[in-house]
Amino acid sequence: MKIAVFSAKSYDKKFLAHIPSNASSPTELTYHDFSLSLSTVSLANGAEAVCVFVNDVLSAEVLTHLSQAGVRAILLRCAGYNNVDLKTAESLGLFVANVPSYSPEAVAEFALALLQTLNRNTHRAYNRVREGNFNLDGLLGRTLRGKTVGIIGTGKIGVAFAKILQGFGCRVLAYDPYPNPEAFKDYGTYVDLHEELLPQSDFVSLHCPLTDQTRHIINEKSLSEMKRGAMLINTSRGGLINTKAVIAALKSHHLGGLALDVYDGEGALFYQDHSGDIIQDDELMRLMTFPNVLVSGHQAFFTEEALTEIAECTLRNLEDFRAGRSCRNSLVHGGRTLVRRDSVPVRI
């Protein structure tokens, strides 16, 4: 079986190298370090499957080209599937499976790291000291103990984040249209998003999937409902935030700080070295001028444990496809998309 792997980095090659071959169906992996799109889809010709990541484009047009080229399976090595036209994939008879959960603690820990870096100005202190400046002015933070943290989305990552916050002595509020009471009950309280969570939280962290309902859930209205000086953390999907509205809230000092591991326009930038380029994204460049804004390159998942889990789950999905058996991570089947509660991405 030939598999075209797109957006492949050195670490992907290392962890995917363990996909086994067998005499009846030897596996041949072809790696492409660029993303799958309409301009690169022809490179999947001759492959039976493509293995893709978060910023690969699997629109109706791309999927049609893949199907015509003989591709029969889409293996997502990520949880998010907002970049896949599932209805078109189902109509074409394509197998599509994701990795719904991989080391939720990795993302939760990184969210906490961003929160504390932003809160305690660790990044600014590091740069100052390297220049021999040990002045503490401008580095004042807040003790987390006793503070209220709002979590939007209580899948596995949201619950893992709440568990960490409990250790800090925080009061945790949560909002999720699909509550997870059994997993969350020991760590916090479910409340209304607009009436309680946003107005009461000192910190708000996003852990929900990107859907039509959650796109720009952080907008001008929701930002105005947040407590003045509150900080916002997003390790989920960039499209959850209206960037223009966030810039306005930062300029007015209503939003006290912003930490992003994801960005709405990241597809053209993230996972590539642009240090020698003039970046044309004016909104991202404006964000990076604020002293109270942190931006990282979608790395919250990036641990050895998570990459191992991703590779192993991708392998299981591939084996299900090869064997023609039911796959618990399948997102399409029998004339309808399969977006079950347990398949909703925890890292999206």
Side-chain angles (χ1 to χ4, degrees), residues 111-123:
L112 193 280
L114 287 179
L115 186 157
Q116 278 293 70
T117 300
L118 188 65
N119 174 39
R120 300 301 300 270
N121 293 291
T122 317
H123 58 307

Side-chain angles (χ1 to χ4, degrees), residues 10 22 42 58 234-235:
S10 59
N22 57 63
S42 61
L58 291 112
N234 187 9
T235 54

Side-chain angles (χ1 to χ4, degrees), residues 272-291:
Q272 304 292 337
D273 182 1
H274 296 281
S275 58
D277 302 334
I278 296 175
I279 296 176
Q280 300 297 321
D281 191 320
D282 292 342
E283 290 184 354
L284 178 61
M285 292 298 96
R286 180 65 180 97
L287 281 175
M288 293 171 65
T289 66
F290 291 100

Side-chain angles (χ1 to χ4, degrees), residues 5 39-40 48 75 134 153 187 198 219 247 267 288 291 309 311:
V5 183
S39 63
T40 62
E48 291 182 66
L75 303 171
F134 298 89
Y187 309 118
L198 294 175
N219 51 49
I247 290 173
M288 293 171 65
E309 289 183 43

Side-chain angles (χ1 to χ4, degrees), residues 117 121-129 133 137-139 291-292:
T117 300
N121 293 291
T122 317
H123 58 307
R124 299 180 68 190
Y126 171 80
N127 287 327
R128 282 189 188 184
V129 168
N133 181 356
D137 288 341
L139 303 181
N292 56 343

Side-chain angles (χ1 to χ4, degrees), residues 1-283:
M1 171 179 282
K2 293 184 178 180
I3 304 174
V5 183
F6 287 87
S7 300
K9 304 301 180 187
S10 59
Y11 43 85
D12 294 308
K13 298 174 185 178
K14 174 183 175 182
F15 285 89
L16 290 174
H18 302 293
I19 290 181
S21 293
N22 57 63
S24 61
S25 181
T27 301
E28 178 185 334
L29 298 176
T30 302
Y31 295 102
H32 303 293
D33 61 2
F34 41 80
S35 62
L36 175 62
S37 66
L38 193 57
S39 63
T40 62
V41 68
S42 61
L43 293 170
N45 289 351
E48 291 182 66
V50 294
C51 184
V52 297
F53 199 46
V54 293
N55 290 321
D56 291 298
V57 176
L58 291 112
S59 62
E61 195 169 4
V62 169
L63 291 171
T64 300
H65 278 276
L66 289 173
S67 178
Q68 292 172 347
V71 171
R72 297 186 293 128
I74 311 294
L75 303 171
L76 300 170
R77 56 184 192 275
C78 56
Y81 47 79
N82 57 286
N83 55 330
V84 185
D85 188 325
L86 292 178
K87 290 183 179 179
T88 298
E90 194 282 328
S91 69
L92 293 169
L94 294 171
F95 173 93
V96 184
N98 69 338
V99 182
S101 174
Y102 48 93
S103 190
E105 291 79 15
V107 182
E109 290 168 9
F110 194 82
L112 193 280
L114 287 179
L115 186 157
Q116 278 293 70
T117 300
L118 188 65
N119 174 39
R120 300 301 300 270
N121 293 291
T122 317
H123 58 307
R124 299 180 68 190
Y126 171 80
N127 287 327
R128 282 189 188 184
V129 168
R130 286 172 63 86
E131 296 178 354
N133 181 356
F134 298 89
N135 193 329
L136 298 184
D137 288 341
L139 303 181
L140 188 65
R142 290 178 285 178
T143 302
L144 275 188
R145 183 173 182 80
K147 297 300 184 295
T148 299
V149 181
I151 299 175
I152 301 178
T154 54
K156 293 184 179 180
I157 293 175
V159 171
F161 187 60
K163 186 175 182 180
I164 293 171
L165 292 170
Q166 186 185 55
F168 278 85
C170 295
R171 172 184 177 233
V172 178
L173 303 179
Y175 168 78
D176 195 318
Y178 305 99
N180 191 6
E182 285 304 308
F184 185 72
K185 63 182 180 181
D186 294 332
Y187 309 118
T189 306
Y190 282 108
V191 297
D192 182 81
L193 176 65
H194 300 287
E195 297 296 327
E196 297 177 78
L197 189 149
L198 294 175
Q200 295 181 28
S201 296
D202 301 291
F203 304 90
V204 175
S205 190
L206 306 180
H207 298 285
C208 52
L210 178 61
T211 65
D212 290 341
Q213 291 71 38
T214 61
R215 179 171 292 279
H216 290 179
I217 192 172
I218 300 299
N219 51 49
E220 185 177 359
K221 178 179 182 295
S222 56
L223 285 164
S224 69
E225 294 168 343
M226 290 177 65
K227 179 187 291 189
R228 186 173 182 83
M231 294 182 175
L232 176 65
I233 295 88
N234 187 9
T235 54
S236 292
R237 278 293 186 268
L240 298 174
I241 291 178
N242 182 316
T243 306
K244 284 186 171 63
V246 163
I247 290 173
L250 287 164
K251 290 173 67 176
S252 69
H253 300 282
H254 184 78
L255 185 63
L258 175 69
L260 302 177
D261 185 50
V262 289
Y263 172 66
D264 204 5
E266 70 176 62
L269 295 169
F270 284 17
Y271 301 115
Q272 304 292 337
D273 182 1
H274 296 281
S275 58
D277 302 334
I278 296 175
I279 296 176
Q280 300 297 321
D281 191 320
D282 292 342
E283 290 184 354

